Each structure stands twice: as C-alpha cells, then as structure tokens.
Amino acid sequence: MKNVKFTLPGGEKVIQVPSGLTILEAAVAHGVPIQYGCRKGGCGRCRVVAKAAHGELTPPTDAELKHLGKQGLSQGLRLACQSSFVPGATSGSISEVIQTIEPFDTGDLGWSFDATFQVGREAMAYLRQGLNESAAQKIAEIIHSISQVDAVAITDPEKILGFTG
C-alpha cells in the first residue's frame, strides 16, 4: 500500500493505493471526485497527473511519452490513469496526484468520469424498470443533457427505443 495525496480544486484527500490498481482506479474506488480522466490513458485528454519518487511507479507507456513528453516524465509527472505503484516500492514519502483546473471544451465532457457517474446515478431509477421504450427515452434525455452531444439514440436490434436531439 502507498499513501497518495490528491490535490483537487475542492481540497485534498489522502488514500491508500494497493499495488496492481492504477492511481485513478484507486481514486474512483475511494470516492475521490476526479472530474477529468480516462481509465485507459490513450485519449490524450487526461488532466490528472501523479508525482512520485523515481522508480516507485510502473514504467511509462507510449501514450504517456507522447502526452507528457520526456521532460514531464523526468520531472516525476505521470498520468494517473496509467500509473500504478511497483509492488514492493518502499518510500516513506506521500506521492501526490494533482488535477489541473483548466476547463475542457464541451466536446471533452463525455470523457470525464464525473459525467459518466452522473449519468449512471440519474439513469439508475429508470434502468431498474428494465429496458423499455419509456425508460430508454428518459435515459437518452439524461445522457443528452449531461454529455452535451448533438443526439442520443438507444436501440434494440429491431427498433429505436429512445431518441433525443
């Protein structure tokens, strides 16, 4: 386990991250309110970076090299969506994860964890009814309003169950 301090626009939170999880996965599991990030790290939109002592984190991926560049990686910055701690890393220091507060374009909102979880929370009541036309229409409206895309359609193999936009 490694102690990680999250510095976010709303404050700070310290959690313990076990080996094997990415830092971002551990944050989600502990309820840290990450707004911008992706699970796979290939999107290039991640605004969440991790600072740790050299050798504590897994080796950089090609996406990280492209996104942060060698200079950022040499300064100890890593994308939290790709970083996990090396098993057996023993450091007394607390690693830090920083979420920048630069706003995304509305087109990037669909990539945020915050929007994804908001859709899930609001759609849950309708999903419990089963996937029928009434529930699908409400869920399409929820997705449309939160993700700010032009249109949303929910279909089954034969017909459109819900549509908005």
Side-chain angles (χ1 to χ4, degrees), residues 46-109:
C46 189
R47 305 278 180 170
V48 184
V49 295
K51 287 183 175 182
H54 182 69
E56 285 187 348
L57 298 175
T58 54
T61 64
D62 291 339
E64 283 183 318
L65 287 169
K66 183 178 177 183
H67 185 73
L68 292 173
K70 291 182 180 179
Q71 183 178 3
L73 290 169
S74 68
Q75 294 171 359
L77 297 179
R78 296 287 307 276
L79 297 179
C81 52
Q82 295 185 335
S83 304
S84 57
F85 287 101
V86 175
T90 55
S91 174
S93 65
I94 294 180
S95 297
E96 186 172 6
V97 175
I98 303 168
Q99 177 174 306
T100 61
I101 56 174
E102 302 163 13
F104 272 154
D105 295 333
T106 56
D108 291 336
L109 184 60

Side-chain angles (χ1 to χ4, degrees), residues 2-19:
K2 177 73 180 162
N3 288 330
V4 178
K5 178 176 76 172
F6 284 82
T7 303
L8 308 169
E12 294 182 351
K13 184 172 184 176
V14 177
I15 66 169
Q16 287 190 330
V17 178
S19 297

